[in-house]
Every structure is written in structure tokens, then in C-alpha cells.
Amino acid sequence: MFPLRDNQPTYKFPAVTVAIIAVNVIVFLMELMAPDIEAFIQSYALVPSAVNLLNISTLSSFISSQFLHAGFIHIISNMWFLKIFGDNVEEKLGSFKFLFIYLLAGFVGNFAQYILSPSSTIPILGASGAVAGVLGAYLVFFPHHTIKTLVPFFGFLTVVNISASVMLFYWLLTQLFSGVGSVASAQIGGVAWWAHIGGFAIGWIFAKMYRTRKEALEVEEGDVIG
């Protein structure tokens, strides 16, 4: 299933979402134009074997790696998901909290992948963990929104409206199954499934905490008014 658009409009320009997309595109162009792409990736991607948890300077790659991508399909798919789901979450959280949870989800997602193979020399890169955090938050805030989705059906592609909860649960299950299946091959590269899972979990947890706190404050205000 591939999402085409969210049927729920927003009423505030998603400045941070647009800025994140712009920065990712700019960094990707810098990557393509670098005299030595491999050296560029090695400098800014997360290389687990180069990380020393006691040396703060080696931890910056947990953030910088979020803005690198392995190719056109990689960046287009990540930015497409961010475009569809990011504006609603940004409007709900506000720009600062949205940026915070985006970067935090990317950091935690990368850390989850790092823990799986801390001695690996294969670079980890991409915004997938951060974008997954946005999906996790979206599931908490907007489970009943409708997503116009491209779905394969008996060899053909058709467009259907699917509940956000159904689509995102399906997405999460595919990540979990793929993540479990990738454990044995973690040292030889491939998709960073656990970065997706870790990022999604942080986005979901943060959104749950945010909603619970906001509801508690509303109850307190109602008690005072009453």
C-alpha cells in the first residue's frame, strides 16, 4: 500500500515540515555533487563501529545521518510520507515540538539499529526513523482520518480510501516482520528496519504522553471554571 494523500486538510502552513524536506533535498544534492560521495557518506552517516558512546563528538552522526539518502527512491519515498503525514502532526503539536519529536525519533531509531550491530562498518543513513516517528504520532492523534491509498489488487493498481489506523498498523506489522527477519543479516547491510520501529515507537509514546497531559490540563481547567 502506498499513500497518495490525507483527506484531512490543515489550516496552518507546515513551515517546519517544508523546511525539513528542503534541507533533505539540499543535502542530497550536496551528496550527489560531492567529489567523493563515499567519503561524504562516511563523514556524515552513522557508522556503528566509529561510535564511542563515551565520546560526545562521535554521536553527532545519529543526527546528521538523518539527512543523507542512498538514492532517489529513498529520498522521494521518505519525503513523500513526511509531506502527507507531517503537516497534520505539526499543526497538532506546534512547530517546536514537531521538530523535537522528528529529530528525537530519528536519533532513537538510529540508536536501535546501532544496538543491533554496534561493530558494523556499514553506514546507516536516511530519514526513515524520523519519518516513522511522525507516523507513530499521527496514529495517536488521527486514527480515524482517511488516507487515499494506491493498493495492488489482482495484478492491478487501484486507489481506495483506507482508515489511517488500518494503514499504519499494516505498515508497522511489515516493519516488525521485516525487522525480525533482518536480525541475522544485520552485519551485511540492507534496510534499517529497527530504525523504523524505534522511531515509530518514540513518536507514538510522545504523542500519547502529549495527549494525556493535554487532556489532564483541560480537566483541571474545567474543574476550576465549574
Side-chain angles (χ1 to χ4, degrees):
M1 294 192 291
F2 188 81
L4 298 177
R5 69 181 177 88
D6 175 340
N7 288 332
Q8 183 68 27
T10 55
Y11 302 96
K12 178 184 176 182
F13 180 71
V16 173
T17 300
V18 172
I20 290 172
I21 293 173
V23 170
N24 274 275
V25 170
I26 291 170
V27 172
F28 183 63
L29 292 176
M30 291 171 60
E31 184 182 330
L32 292 179
M33 293 185 293
D36 187 338
I37 295 180
E38 291 300 321
F40 187 92
I41 290 175
Q42 287 290 330
S43 297
Y44 298 105
L46 171 60
V47 181
S49 63
V51 171
N52 179 354
L53 297 179
L54 299 178
N55 184 349
I56 295 178
S57 65
T58 68
L59 304 183
S60 61
S61 59
F62 282 92
I63 297 296
S64 62
S65 61
Q66 299 177 33
F67 297 92
L68 301 177
H69 286 86
F72 285 99
I73 293 178
H74 193 200
I75 187 172
I76 289 172
S77 61
N78 275 338
M79 295 305 101
W80 184 258
F81 271 75
L82 180 58
K83 171 184 176 296
I84 291 175
F85 298 99
D87 55 351
N88 294 90
V89 177
E90 181 180 348
E91 185 176 62
K92 183 72 174 182
L93 289 174
S95 297
F96 177 78
K97 289 186 180 71
F98 176 76
L99 179 60
F100 172 77
I101 192 57
Y102 178 86
L103 294 175
L104 178 64
F107 184 97
V108 173
N110 281 340
F111 190 76
Q113 192 68 31
Y114 162 78
I115 289 297
L116 187 66
S117 52
S119 61
S120 173
T121 59
I122 300 172
I124 299 170
L125 66 162
S128 302
V131 174
V134 174
L135 301 186
Y138 191 100
L139 179 60
V140 172
F141 293 136
F142 314 110
H144 304 300
H145 277 194
T146 301
I147 310 297
K148 190 174 289 293
T149 308
L150 192 64
V151 178
F153 185 73
F154 291 106
F156 297 94
L157 292 175
T158 185
V159 176
V160 296
N161 289 320
I162 297 177
S163 166
S165 59
V166 172
M167 181 184 177
L168 293 177
F169 271 124
Y170 170 81
W171 179 89
L172 180 59
L173 284 175
T174 63
Q175 308 307 300
L176 287 169
F177 280 119
S178 299
V180 171
S182 72
V183 171
S185 60
Q187 296 291 337
I188 60 175
V191 178
W193 299 109
W194 288 101
H196 303 179
I197 296 165
F200 187 95
I202 287 298
W204 188 89
I205 291 169
F206 183 92
K208 274 284 189 181
M209 293 172 60
Y210 175 87
R211 191 175 69 178
T212 300
R213 182 173 182 274
K214 189 171 183 180
E215 289 173 352
L217 289 173
E218 289 173 352
V219 169
E220 289 179 5
E221 290 174 359
D223 289 343
V224 171
I225 294 172

